[in-house]
Amino acid sequence: MQSKVLLIYTGGTIGMNRNPQTGALEPLDFEHLLQFVPELRQFNMQIDVHQFNPPIDSSDMSPQLWTDLSHVIADNYDQYDGFVVLHGTDTMAYTASALSYMLENLTKPVIFTGSQLPIEQLRTDGKENLITSIEIAAAKDEEGHARVPEVGIYFNGSLLRGNRTTKQSADEFNAFESFNYPHLADAGVNITYHHERILKPDWDKPMTPHFRLDNNVIIFSLFPGIREDLIRHIIHTPNLKAIVMRTFGSGNAPQRTWLLNALKEGTRNGKVIVNISQCMQGCVEMGRYDTGFHLKEAGVVSGYDSTVESAVTKLMFLQSHYDDPEQVRDLMNRSIRGEITIMR
């Protein structure tokens, strides 16, 4: 049977061209974009297109648009073998992380890709990214199951777990990396799938979509000289439910009495505070140094080796489903979509 892949064009550099008057990049109509990739006709599969109208600059991505994207996938889930989402690179890791939580027990690939150069340009990276993403989205094993039944990001020869990925470069074709988790697949002359690293769903159960997110969350980074009044202002923000706090090294913070008291107060008032390292690679270990241990005593939850993008979208997902902050804290300490490595 011929494979079927749904190509979802949300926007991004891959589908832009340069305005001859202003020199600025502007979105193309996606049907126009297909003119630049005649290679797609060589696939022995059906490729259909769903286009967001108007196309979205990824800087304007939002939880509502994540919900819209989840609806598109859920509404078409039974008709296709896989999905490829064309997306701007700036917030791709946020969207891929959010979708990984919103699509529970995913049994088909949802592959995000894009490009650093518009697909009309001679040196574009968009063609290879698009072509290989479609091939991965359609790939099945000997039993007829999808080879990659999870949300991934494909870029520059590497398939990465979506909720483990961060944009690492604004200029290089190697724009993304999953620093704390190895690649799911590598594409050279052949595509090598690392099956032991890929999530295994329950094939006997359906995919369950979720469409609710609660974005009452904020991210802030600690730095030498951070002011007490600003931290207290954040802690007392009305309706704020969760804080992703980016700390130093393996999860350390200044040993200021006012800071620990503010964090304790926030925890007592029901706020979930998650400790994420500012380092690109490594894990939060709040028991390693005294400074981290005091954060744990203040009720701060370890984010382990989570990315910031994954932590903030996981919080949006969890707090839309659970009113009890203790339950949210408990689930932040568990891997529910392969997003963290729990060190025991």
Side-chain angles (χ1 to χ4, degrees):
M1 183 183 293
Q2 190 182 47
S3 295
K4 294 176 64 178
V5 171
L6 182 61
L7 193 57
I8 304 170
Y9 176 58
T10 69
T13 298
I14 193 169
M16 291 187 172
N17 65 343
R18 199 169 294 280
N19 184 305
Q21 278 77 44
T22 66
L25 290 175
E26 297 178 344
L28 277 171
D29 181 87
F30 191 75
E31 297 304 324
H32 188 190
L33 185 149
L34 289 177
Q35 297 176 21
F36 296 99
V37 198
E39 294 89 342
L40 294 182
R41 298 187 181 93
Q42 298 181 37
F43 275 121
N44 183 28
M45 68 177 75
Q46 179 179 330
I47 302 172
D48 296 328
V49 175
H50 178 94
Q51 178 173 343
F52 275 50
N53 191 17
I56 301 152
D57 187 299
S58 72
S59 298
D60 292 322
M61 197 53 67
S62 67
Q64 179 56 57
L65 292 169
W66 295 337
T67 298
D68 293 344
L69 182 55
S70 295
H71 274 292
V72 171
I73 293 171
D75 292 347
N76 292 280
Y77 196 76
D78 293 336
Q79 285 75 53
Y80 292 93
D81 298 292
F83 303 84
V84 173
V85 182
L86 295 182
H87 193 289
T89 58
D90 286 348
T91 59
M92 186 184 293
Y94 285 97
T95 303
S97 294
L99 266 288
S100 76
Y101 299 119
M102 300 172 80
L103 303 174
E104 182 180 351
N105 196 50
L106 193 60
T107 57
K108 299 178 180 181
V110 176
I111 309 300
F112 282 78
T113 195
S115 65
Q116 295 286 61
L117 287 174
I119 208 160
E120 65 158 356
Q121 293 192 12
L122 189 61
R123 292 183 54 252
T124 185
D125 54 327
K127 279 191 179 184
E128 193 278 325
N129 287 346
L130 174 57
I131 290 167
T132 306
S133 293
I134 291 172
E135 188 169 344
I136 291 171
K140 295 183 179 180
D141 62 19
E142 296 75 14
E143 297 178 353
H145 292 146
R147 288 194 181 276
V148 188
E150 60 173 287
V151 177
I153 289 178
Y154 178 80
F155 237 84
N156 195 49
S158 298
L159 179 66
L160 316 171
R161 177 166 293 164
N163 59 30
R164 290 282 196 153
T165 306
T166 293
K167 185 176 181 182
Q168 67 170 353
S169 176
D171 301 315
E172 297 178 2
F173 287 156
N174 186 24
F176 291 93
E177 188 53 86
S178 54
F179 292 96
N180 289 319
Y181 197 78
H183 299 175
L184 303 182
D186 292 292
V189 173
N190 298 304
I191 300 176
T192 302
Y193 295 93
H194 306 294
H195 300 288
E196 72 281 2
R197 304 170 186 170
I198 297 172
L199 292 176
K200 305 296 188 292
D202 187 334
W203 300 106
D204 296 323
K205 291 184 179 178
M207 186 275 289
T208 303
H210 301 276
F211 304 116
R212 288 183 295 138
L213 294 168
D214 183 340
N215 64 344
N216 285 299
V217 58
I218 196 169
I219 303 166
F220 75 78
S221 295
L222 296 177
F223 58 90
I226 192 166
R227 284 172 45 175
E228 177 179 358
D229 58 332
L230 298 180
I231 293 294
R232 291 199 173 277
H233 182 75
I234 292 171
I235 292 291
H236 293 129
T237 300
N239 301 318
L240 182 66
K241 293 182 179 179
I243 296 168
V244 175
M245 183 173 66
R246 300 183 68 235
T247 57
F248 308 128
S250 57
N252 303 308
Q255 293 195 69
R256 301 286 186 271
T257 301
W258 65 261
L259 176 60
L260 294 173
N261 288 340
L263 296 175
K264 286 178 184 176
E265 182 181 355
T267 300
R268 281 198 307 269
N269 291 337
K271 290 179 173 59
V272 178
I273 305 172
V274 181
N275 186 350
I276 300 290
S277 175
Q278 294 178 29
C279 300
M280 299 289 274
Q281 191 166 15
C283 182
V284 165
E285 298 180 64
M286 290 196 289
R288 180 186 287 188
Y289 297 106
D290 195 43
T291 54
F293 179 76
H294 288 308
L295 292 179
K296 189 174 182 179
E297 283 192 321
V300 175
V301 176
S302 175
Y304 295 91
D305 56 352
S306 173
T307 64
V308 170
E309 297 92 334
S310 182
V312 73
T313 53
K314 184 178 179 181
L315 283 166
M316 289 184 189
F317 173 74
L318 292 176
Q319 61 198 24
S320 72
H321 288 75
Y322 304 100
D323 293 326
D324 182 3
E326 201 55 49
Q327 196 163 9
V328 174
R329 291 188 189 101
D330 178 63
L331 288 169
M332 287 302 293
N333 274 172
R334 299 188 190 187
S335 177
I336 62 173
R337 302 287 191 272
E339 72 280 1
I340 53 176
T341 305
I342 306 294
M343 310 296 289
R344 296 298 184 190

